[in-house]
Amino acid sequence: MLNQSAAFNNLVIYEDKGDCWDIPFTYIDKAPEQLRATGCEVFDNGFQKGLRFTYEYNKSKFVQDVTLGTDDRKLKFSMDVEWQETFKMLRGLYP
C-alpha cells in the first residue's frame, strides 16, 4: 500500500561520470535534476486505459505510458526514450 502523500514514478537526471556501466556509488551524493512532464493525455483503446506523459530534457525526449488493462491487477509502465545526453543518467524513483 502506498502512502497517499508519497510521490512515485519521479523521473530524475543524475550526473554520470562513470565509464559505461561502471557507475560510481557517489552519484547519489549530488541531488538529481527533477523532470517535469511537458504534456499529459488520457487514452482508452478498449482493452486498456492509461496516461501518456511527455518529457523533454535538453535535446532528449521521453514518452511514458502508464496503463491498466481491463483484466490487469497492476499498473504497467513503458517508456520510449530518445537519449541525446552524455555523462547523464535517467532514473525512475519509487517509494
Side-chain angles (χ1 to χ4, degrees):
M1 194 73 133
L2 285 177
N3 178 337
Q4 290 183 357
S5 64
F8 71 99
N9 189 37
N10 288 320
L11 297 180
V12 296
I13 303 286
Y14 285 98
E15 275 192 37
D16 180 5
K17 300 295 184 181
D19 182 21
C20 296
W21 293 103
D22 185 18
I23 301 165
F25 291 111
T26 57
Y27 82 89
I28 199 116
D29 293 340
K30 185 175 179 188
E33 296 178 62
Q34 179 79 41
L35 293 182
R36 298 279 179 222
T38 56
C40 178
E41 60 185 71
V42 176
F43 65 88
D44 180 352
N45 60 16
F47 62 92
Q48 68 180 3
K49 299 177 185 198
L51 298 172
R52 175 165 291 141
F53 297 97
T54 54
Y55 299 86
E56 293 181 11
Y57 178 80
N58 295 333
K59 295 181 181 180
S60 297
K61 296 183 181 178
F62 318 93
V63 177
Q64 181 184 57
D65 288 345
V66 180
T67 58
L68 184 63
T70 54
D71 295 327
D72 289 342
R73 297 180 64 181
K74 59 185 174 185
L75 288 174
K76 295 180 184 175
F77 292 80
S78 63
M79 186 105 157
D80 288 321
V81 179
E82 185 182 316
W83 192 250
Q84 303 294 323
E85 311 305 316
T86 56
F87 302 113
K88 300 287 183 181
M89 174 176 41
L90 173 67
R91 299 220 35 203
L93 303 181
Y94 299 84

